[in-house]
Amino acid sequence: MKKEILIAEFEKTHTEILHSQILFLLHRGYKINLWLNEEADFEDVYDGKVNIVKSKTEISSLNLKLLYKVLRFIKQHNIEKIILNTAHGLLIRNLCFILLNKKVEVTGVLHQAHKLIKSSTQSIISKKVKKNFVLNDYVKDFVLKETKGKYKVESFYPIYFNKLSDVKYKPNYKIIITVPGNVIQLRKDYVFLIKNLLKLEDEIRDNFQFIILGRATDKESPEMLQMIGENNISEDFVKIYKEYVSEEEFSEVVQNSDFIMPLIHPTGHSYNEYLSTEISGAFNTAFGYHKPLLMYESFSKFEDFKKFSVFYNESNFLHILKNLTEKNMTTELKKRYENYPKFDFNFQANKYINFIENH
């Protein structure tokens, strides 16, 4: 009989990391149940191999109807293991209360690992969630050091996808640098980027196209949009999206990109967390698609980035762009992915499954 497991995601976000976990579990013969917020954006590409339950979800700590619906599902399917894809918040706390005396084993995925260090809600969750995944080795190292090994923590890299769309590579003589993800000025330094791009000499500017790969709104990124509009910056130079970007379009743009740029700077709202307890989706996008990174220099202390990145700071950014036009760095950086054992599927799958199965 196949081992049965439940992966639950009550939020609308973080669905991009589900595919790697599903692939790991299918690889090891698990029967997978996936509980999703019905508003979450998730493409079912598993041909019936995954039992997907979509439920109306109001993220409220007192959503008892939902919690008991989940509990009933666990009983009906004799679920012995649960993965909480976002193991934060009051709803998760209350679910853990309900499950506290049940035999089911719960493993959490932490997106904000600092909560394990200083959140009272997380300490209550930890009474049931005895094992936690984080999404990079440097986050694991930081948490283990800060908590002095109090918690069981393992890392996995959600950099695998069930399919990559068949992309016809568009002939493009420009260097395409893509900034993927939610376009939120508080987190990413779009203003720095546009200000500096406006300083580029025409002959260098003509070599580049920057793509802001996410929906840009006046609410989240007003200054960036204002600067682009006032300076009549063309789409050939800086492309933005005013509408939702589909998974297919996202994949196609990334595959045709030369560099992925996280655009995380010291001015960003969560800069310190990105250097210790959180990751940006841009990191895994680059790793998953084997793309070089263009990154702020403070990330150069981490092994993963050191191998695959070109680094810059505020004062040398324009000089770095000029260098990119003179040296073809992309080929060499992409080749390094071929012999990087950490990103091997079997290595990551075995680490993930072993952590779930070992007590």
Side-chain angles (χ1 to χ4, degrees):
M1 180 185 278
K2 284 188 174 183
K3 294 170 279 191
E4 196 154 356
I5 197 165
L6 173 66
I7 307 176
E9 178 53 82
F10 300 110
E11 305 278 351
K12 299 175 194 175
T13 55
H14 299 141
T15 54
E16 74 281 357
I17 74 163
L18 291 169
H19 291 292
S20 292
Q21 297 178 79
I22 290 168
L23 291 170
F24 295 158
L25 291 162
L26 288 175
H27 180 65
R28 291 288 283 266
Y30 274 83
K31 183 178 178 183
I32 303 168
N33 301 283
L34 177 61
W35 188 290
L36 287 175
N37 184 324
E38 68 176 14
E39 294 181 52
D41 180 27
F42 181 82
E43 185 184 0
D44 178 9
V45 288
Y46 295 98
D47 300 322
K49 293 175 187 170
V50 178
N51 175 33
I52 299 178
V53 179
K54 291 191 175 181
S55 178
K56 187 173 181 181
T57 308
E58 293 173 16
I59 302 298
S60 159
S61 61
L62 296 175
N63 197 339
L64 295 177
K65 184 179 177 183
L66 170 69
L67 295 178
Y68 281 104
K69 197 174 170 184
V70 174
L71 188 61
R72 197 159 55 245
F73 183 90
I74 292 166
K75 285 180 180 176
Q76 287 171 349
H77 291 262
N78 295 314
I79 302 290
E80 294 182 359
K81 292 184 186 293
I82 300 173
I83 309 292
L84 296 175
N85 194 55
T86 302
H88 304 297
L90 297 177
L91 180 68
I92 294 297
R93 180 200 68 184
N94 288 358
L95 176 61
C96 288
F97 267 137
I98 291 171
L99 295 173
L100 199 55
N101 295 316
K102 309 294 180 187
K103 285 186 178 179
V104 63
E105 185 181 278
V106 186
T107 303
V109 180
L110 295 176
H111 302 274
Q112 298 167 314
H114 53 270
K115 291 190 174 183
L116 202 59
I117 299 164
K118 56 186 179 184
S119 163
S120 56
T121 299
Q122 203 68 38
S123 65
I124 296 169
I125 291 170
S126 294
K127 293 183 185 303
K128 182 62 183 176
V129 179
K130 300 297 184 183
K131 298 188 286 191
N132 291 281
F133 280 116
V134 294
L135 303 179
N136 195 289
D137 285 344
Y138 76 79
V139 178
K140 173 186 168 181
D141 293 343
F142 182 87
V143 172
L144 288 176
K145 182 182 174 186
E146 290 296 309
T147 61
K148 297 179 171 58
K150 181 180 177 183
Y151 301 101
K152 290 182 180 177
V153 179
E154 185 55 275
S155 63
F156 79 93
Y157 286 60
I159 58 176
Y160 312 98
F161 310 98
N162 192 50
K163 63 173 186 179
L164 295 177
S165 57
D166 296 323
V167 171
K168 291 179 181 174
Y169 287 93
K170 300 170 184 173
N172 197 320
Y173 303 104
K174 293 176 180 280
I175 298 167
I176 299 176
I177 298 175
T178 296
V179 184
N182 296 328
V183 186
I184 302 173
Q185 228 167 259
L186 274 174
R187 286 180 169 260
K188 298 182 182 181
D189 204 347
Y190 299 100
V191 173
F192 164 88
L193 179 64
I194 303 301
K195 275 183 179 175
N196 277 273
L197 295 184
L198 289 169
K199 297 175 188 174
L200 275 178
E201 299 164 9
D202 288 346
E203 61 268 27
I204 296 175
R205 181 189 296 202
D206 291 342
N207 287 288
F208 290 98
Q209 184 186 33
F210 286 79
I211 301 178
I212 311 297
L213 191 56
R215 183 169 175 254
T217 65
D218 289 322
K219 181 182 178 184
E220 299 285 13
S221 301
E223 282 181 80
M224 179 191 77
L225 292 175
Q226 185 181 351
M227 289 170 71
I228 289 172
E230 286 177 353
N231 291 281
N232 296 315
I233 298 175
S234 73
E235 274 206 347
D236 285 342
F237 185 38
V238 178
K239 182 173 182 177
I240 59 171
Y241 291 80
K242 293 292 187 73
E243 303 297 330
Y244 165 77
V245 180
S246 69
E247 278 189 33
E248 189 176 349
E249 171 112 2
F250 184 94
S251 181
E252 184 173 326
V253 170
V254 171
Q255 288 184 72
N256 276 297
S257 299
D258 294 292
F259 284 89
I260 299 299
M261 188 179 192
L263 204 52
I264 295 167
H265 293 176
T267 52
H269 180 65
S270 300
Y271 172 73
N272 289 325
E273 284 80 9
Y274 282 130
L275 283 168
S276 55
T277 58
E278 290 185 36
I279 64 139
S280 165
F283 303 164
N284 288 330
T285 297
F287 297 154
Y289 288 83
H290 289 193
K291 296 293 176 181
L293 285 142
L294 182 61
M295 298 192 81
Y296 193 77
E297 66 180 8
S298 51
F299 289 92
S300 63
K301 64 183 177 179
F302 299 120
E303 177 198 1
D304 296 338
F305 304 129
K306 198 182 295 181
K307 288 189 74 73
F308 306 111
S309 306
V310 174
F311 298 101
Y312 65 87
N313 57 38
E314 292 88 347
S315 60
N316 71 5
F317 179 63
L318 295 180
H319 179 68
I320 294 294
L321 291 183
K322 187 170 185 291
N323 277 351
L324 293 183
T325 66
E326 295 169 353
K327 301 174 191 171
N328 182 3
M329 300 182 190
T330 55
T331 305
E332 181 194 337
L333 289 169
K334 284 170 80 171
K335 277 188 77 174
R336 293 180 187 175
Y337 280 105
E338 295 171 14
N339 301 305
Y340 195 53
K342 190 190 289 189
F343 292 165
D344 175 72
F345 176 84
N346 287 323
F347 175 79
Q348 288 294 330
N350 289 337
K351 195 159 68 144
Y352 179 90
I353 298 296
N354 289 342
F355 189 64
I356 289 171
E357 292 184 346
N358 292 340
H359 294 285

